[in-house]
Amino acid sequence: MVFIFCHRVHREHRGINMKNDNKQSDFKNLPNCAAEYIKLVIKKMKWRKSVRADVQAELIGHFEDALRDCKNEDEKETKAKELIANFGDAKLIADLAAKKRCRPLWVKALIRTAQTTGIIILFIIIRSLPMVIGSPTISVNYAEWLNEKVRAGRDESLNAKPFYDKAINNLVEQPKWLQEIKTSWPGDFNEQQLGEFKVWYDKNKYSFEAFRQGSAKPAYWNTYNTNEPNMQGTLQSMMKHLVIRKIVQNICWKMRYDTYNNDYNSATTDIIALIKLGQNMHGQGTLIEQLVGIAIEAVGIGVIFENGGKVDWPEEKLGEIQTQLEQDIDKPVITLDGEKAFMYDYIQQSFTDDGYGNGRILKKGMPIAFDNWREFLKDFFITGFPDRRQTVAKIESLYELSEQRFSITPIELKDEPIDKPLYPVEKNPFLLSTENSLANKKLIEITWRLKTDRDGQIATLAILRYHKQTGKYPDSLEELLNKGFIKRVPFDAYRNGEMTYKKIGDSFTLYSFSNNFKDDGGDSTLGKWREDGDAVFWPVKSK
Amino acid sequence: MKFERELLKGVAPVVVLEIMSRGRMYGYELSEAIENKSQKILTLGQGTLYPLLYNLESQKLIKGEWETAESGRKRRYYSITSKGKQRLETDKSQLADLFKSLKLVFGTSFAGAN
């Protein structure tokens, strides 16, 4: 029976992978049947390697001790077989030994998982506690800070704002047909429309007057509400002031009507007022106000020649408009003071204050301290959160980078995707993703479009004045510069060079390469700032 | 004389703890000791010995430690723990009560009566 068992053990063992737990040298003092039996027990155990090794060593030791006094190999073999018979079934002993020796692997894994989870939860609680304990110290009113920035030490009597407010209060909305009409020339109105227009025009008399009075002031700035609990509230309450756009729309129609009636004095005053308002709005305050300012200046520039074929401006008036356009020509179109006020206020509200300019992050600070989830997790579990000083430094470097980028021309950004962020920041909930758009390609292009429009329009006005004085058009833009009609040669940011001027018979063309960065021949019928074609300043596209 | 397996099963842990309370031992030594002390009346089957040791160890009644002898052979020595000693006392006391009650039942014919 024992022989049969030994034989079976031997047969089963042929399938055992010897690399597992046993080295042949461990069994050198044992008869084959004992070695095979032990190996079979170990194979049947199917438990942890270390446990199997322990049991194997113990069984080898047991057999060696039991066979120690045997005089020869035959005796050893016989005694070994007796021992094997005494041990019994290999699987049974393997199960019994292993069950008592260690917990099943899945139980161990479960316990370890529970322990690890517990440790992680505890770690998260400990790590999160500082974020919910403590409160911010509000020491700076950033609405006041921004008010000081836009006021720039100027006296309140210089501000056009009260007059513009009055103009808004006295504003009468355009009749619906006027809002929807395709033409921009009152000469195209029918008799009934002209009658209604005159009524509307007269009703806006006080609004127009107030706007004129405001335009006589040298500056315009908004006063931000300092009573809101944070800058977010301040910016929201500021939005209602943007209704000034409606004044602009009304002034445009007034200017057209005055031109139609050959009242160039009045029309010129209004154009200059529009350009001035736009110029005063950008370069200060919040970004949204500045964008509105850019739009207003662009409208002011646009209305000069929108009916160019029908209007013959006196040279003197062209000069006055040109002079206004040349005002503050090198002033930055966009400043980020309003955004900074918002962000500094956000930092103030989302960090503690240690009294020395530093502090630790609170829950609210998460969106500005991190750019993405990976960074957040790394800081949470490994390096710790950035403090107030580090976050301020990061925000300031972002603004510095943004401001630098405004000098990059569209052609230099040609290959950059339109919505490429300044640096890789994920979208919500990270607030920096919003701030990231400050100096993206789109915003940079808007500022360059305005600058190019200005340069093109200044040069056009100068060329027309040159023609009125000399009876001919200049041969080149340099000639215009040399004879003092312009202060500098107009710059085309879409080719990084001089704007394209061509004298053609008794006319001329002036254009920028525009969005496709190539010379399309200056076709004025396409319209300005399309993706194809050039931005043509002259001749003017007739509506 | 060999005991019925079931009869021995309940006593085996007490026997092992008792032997071990006199000094630490490795597996083979323990099986020999039990046989010798009981004059070969009690024999713990080899297949029972190690599962029993591992069981006692998992209950922390004994503890095993590997040691390398001068010959280079590694042996796992088992020694009784303080918890094991307490259990031994309890089990011995219960066995004494068992013998008393058996004596009452069997009277003078019970060998343990002498």
Side-chain angles (χ1 to χ4, degrees):
Chain A
M1 164 105 180
V2 171
F3 172 77
I4 294 169
F5 174 79
C6 281
H7 181 70
R8 187 166 65 86
V9 165
H10 180 71
R11 189 161 43 83
E12 286 186 14
H13 177 66
R14 278 183 299 189
I16 296 176
N17 186 351
M18 288 299 288
K19 74 177 181 184
N20 280 348
D21 309 301
N22 36 54
K23 287 184 286 186
Q24 207 57 44
S25 58
D26 293 339
F27 302 96
K28 63 183 178 190
N29 298 325
L30 298 182
N32 275 345
C33 68
E36 300 302 325
Y37 176 77
I38 294 169
K39 286 173 190 172
L40 185 63
V41 170
I42 300 309
K43 183 196 169 191
K44 298 282 181 191
M45 278 182 76
K46 292 179 181 169
W47 295 82
R48 273 199 335 225
K49 198 173 176 180
S50 61
V51 173
R52 291 202 305 262
D54 271 4
V55 174
Q56 177 178 295
E58 208 162 7
L59 290 179
I60 289 172
H62 187 99
F63 272 81
E64 283 177 351
D65 284 333
L67 305 177
R68 189 174 48 211
D69 298 330
C70 292
K71 292 182 177 68
N72 55 47
E73 290 304 313
D74 287 343
E75 196 182 333
K76 266 189 180 178
E77 182 87 11
T78 309
K79 183 86 188 278
K81 286 171 183 171
E82 281 173 18
L83 272 170
I84 290 167
N86 196 277
F87 265 101
D89 182 57
K91 185 171 185 330
L92 183 66
I93 193 166
D95 286 348
L96 286 171
K99 272 181 193 167
K100 300 301 175 191
R101 198 78 173 84
C102 63
R103 294 186 181 108
L105 274 183
W106 70 268
V107 174
K108 273 232 150 139
L110 202 67
I111 291 167
R112 288 278 181 270
T113 308
Q115 285 171 340
T116 310
T117 310
I119 289 167
I120 290 171
I121 290 170
L122 191 67
F123 181 81
I124 289 171
I125 292 169
I126 292 170
R127 238 350 185 187
S128 308
L129 270 179
M131 281 189 285
V132 289
I133 297 171
S135 55
T137 307
I138 309 302
S139 53
V140 180
N141 186 325
Y142 279 99
E144 273 177 17
W145 179 85
L146 190 58
N147 280 337
E148 280 174 27
K149 280 265 179 193
V150 294
R151 195 181 302 126
R154 293 173 291 195
D155 190 83
E156 198 59 47
S157 64
L158 304 175
N159 192 0
K161 176 95 175 14
F163 297 97
Y164 291 152
D165 288 345
K166 196 174 165 187
I168 291 166
N169 293 336
N170 288 291
L171 176 141
V172 176
E173 298 246 1
Q174 294 171 12
K176 200 159 183 255
W177 66 266
L178 189 61
Q179 290 173 26
E180 292 168 355
I181 201 161
K182 302 285 179 202
T183 184
S184 59
W185 184 237
D188 296 331
F189 292 173
N190 61 35
E191 231 173 88
Q192 189 193 340
Q193 286 172 332
L194 206 54
E196 284 181 29
F197 184 89
K198 281 177 190 165
V199 173
W200 170 81
Y201 185 102
D202 289 340
K203 280 183 183 172
N204 271 295
K205 200 172 80 180
Y206 296 112
S207 178
F208 293 151
E209 269 179 27
F211 187 75
R212 282 265 177 97
Q213 287 170 328
S215 304
K217 295 287 179 183
Y220 166 76
W221 66 86
N222 195 6
T223 304
Y224 302 96
N225 187 353
T226 56
N227 296 321
E228 295 287 345
N230 52 41
M231 274 305 287
Q232 205 168 353
T234 303
L235 296 183
Q236 276 167 1
S237 68
M238 175 274 298
M239 297 301 274
K240 64 176 182 283
H241 298 297
L242 298 179
V243 77
I244 200 159
R245 284 174 299 180
K246 290 190 175 176
I247 294 281
V248 174
Q249 288 157 2
N250 284 2
I251 292 292
C252 282
W253 271 114
K254 178 181 183 298
M255 190 279 299
R256 289 164 188 148
Y257 187 69
D258 291 344
T259 315
Y260 170 68
N261 289 316
N262 295 322
D263 187 353
Y264 292 107
N265 280 333
S266 178
T268 305
T269 306
D270 289 332
I271 287 176
I272 289 172
L274 275 186
I275 294 170
K276 198 172 164 184
L277 170 61
Q279 287 173 336
N280 278 332
M281 281 184 79
H282 56 69
Q284 66 177 28
T286 63
L287 190 59
I288 185 82
E289 289 173 293
Q290 295 182 68
L291 289 171
V292 170
I294 289 172
I296 290 173
E297 188 178 343
V299 167
I301 291 170
V303 293
I304 304 170
F305 295 120
E306 65 180 10
N307 295 302
K310 300 170 183 120
V311 183
D312 184 23
W313 289 86
E315 194 236 326
E316 180 198 349
K317 298 300 165 195
L318 294 176
E320 286 174 22
I321 297 168
Q322 184 185 339
T323 304
Q324 183 59 47
L325 278 173
E326 285 170 337
Q327 292 287 314
D328 297 332
I329 201 162
D330 294 320
K331 192 180 102 176
V333 176
I334 296 281
T335 61
L336 299 174
D337 289 340
E339 305 308 303
K340 286 178 188 172
F342 174 82
M343 198 50 83
Y344 291 153
D345 184 55
Y346 197 96
I347 290 172
Q348 176 177 242
Q349 310 231 7
S350 50
F351 282 80
T352 60
D353 187 354
D354 66 359
Y356 300 99
N358 208 353
R360 75 184 147 75
I361 196 164
L362 296 170
K363 198 170 58 178
K364 194 182 173 186
M366 294 290 133
I368 53 167
F370 305 101
D371 298 340
N372 54 58
W373 285 111
R374 286 175 300 284
E375 194 183 316
F376 170 78
L377 292 174
K378 191 189 91 193
D379 285 0
F380 189 88
F381 286 104
I382 304 165
T383 50
F385 295 128
D387 58 25
R388 185 176 182 148
R389 219 170 258 154
Q390 287 169 320
T391 307
V392 169
K394 180 179 172 181
I395 300 287
E396 283 179 343
S397 73
L398 175 66
Y399 284 126
E400 198 181 327
L401 186 60
S402 301
E403 281 166 348
Q404 284 168 5
R405 275 173 61 91
F406 283 115
S407 60
I408 305 172
T409 59
I411 195 166
E412 288 164 349
L413 289 172
K414 189 178 168 186
D415 298 323
E416 187 174 297
I418 193 81
D419 55 353
K420 185 196 167 213
L422 278 184
Y423 52 77
V425 175
E426 283 177 9
K427 298 245 186 279
N428 287 330
F430 300 101
L431 198 65
L432 277 182
S433 62
T434 320
E435 289 303 287
N436 220 4
S437 63
L438 289 177
N440 70 16
K441 191 176 173 181
K442 207 167 191 171
L443 193 54
I444 291 169
E445 280 194 356
I446 288 171
T447 63
W448 277 107
R449 192 172 291 184
L450 175 74
K451 288 180 186 176
T452 312
D453 259 345
R454 264 187 201 160
D455 270 22
Q457 219 61 281
I458 288 169
T460 306
L461 291 165
I463 294 165
L464 293 173
R465 284 174 50 228
Y466 183 97
H467 185 261
K468 282 183 184 287
Q469 282 187 23
T470 64
K472 58 173 189 156
Y473 292 110
D475 292 325
S476 66
L477 294 172
E478 282 73 19
E479 188 185 344
L480 210 57
L481 176 71
N482 294 337
K483 292 191 174 167
F485 282 84
I486 47 175
K487 291 176 179 167
R488 67 172 191 216
V489 173
F491 177 68
D492 184 0
Y494 296 81
R495 65 179 292 203
N496 265 4
E498 197 174 295
M499 208 168 272
T500 307
Y501 169 75
K502 290 172 190 169
K503 189 176 162 188
I504 307 163
D506 193 30
S507 187
F508 72 95
T509 182
L510 179 73
Y511 58 90
S512 153
F513 282 7
S514 187
N515 293 320
N516 65 4
F517 309 105
K518 61 178 185 153
D519 191 341
D520 296 298
D523 183 355
S524 65
T525 60
L526 293 173
K528 271 201 291 187
W529 303 118
R530 291 159 48 112
E531 286 307 306
D532 55 341
D534 302 318
V536 184
F537 299 101
W538 196 271
V540 176
K541 184 193 175 193
S542 52
K543 287 194 177 178
Chain B
M1 181 184 175
K2 297 282 181 186
F3 280 95
E4 278 296 318
R5 187 179 165 153
E6 288 304 312
L7 200 59
L8 185 60
K9 199 174 165 184
V11 190
V14 195
V15 174
V16 168
L17 289 174
E18 174 60 27
I19 302 285
M20 241 170 234
S21 69
R22 297 168 198 175
R24 61 188 203 135
M25 285 177 188
Y26 53 91
Y28 179 75
E29 193 180 13
L30 179 70
S31 71
E32 291 286 285
I34 292 170
E35 271 195 36
N36 293 339
K37 296 277 179 195
S38 68
Q39 294 174 357
K40 300 205 175 185
I41 294 171
L42 289 175
T43 52
L44 220 50
Q46 314 291 332
T48 318
L49 174 68
Y50 287 100
L52 175 61
L53 285 174
Y54 299 154
N55 188 14
L56 294 174
E57 193 178 13
S58 72
Q59 292 179 62
K60 299 196 183 335
L61 300 174
I62 60 170
K63 78 172 177 193
E65 284 169 322
W66 284 103
E67 270 183 31
T68 309
E70 281 179 13
S71 62
R73 174 186 284 177
K74 279 178 75 179
R75 279 204 175 107
R76 190 167 172 81
Y77 282 89
Y78 294 93
S79 54
I80 190 163
T81 62
S82 52
K83 190 180 170 188
K85 284 175 186 166
Q86 284 172 14
R87 170 68 72 84
L88 178 62
E89 288 311 309
T90 313
D91 287 358
K92 274 164 79 175
S93 159
Q94 283 184 2
L95 272 179
D97 291 344
L98 179 66
F99 288 139
K100 272 184 202 167
S101 57
L102 288 174
K103 184 182 164 187
L104 290 171
V105 172
F106 293 110
T108 51
S109 64
F110 184 55
N114 299 320

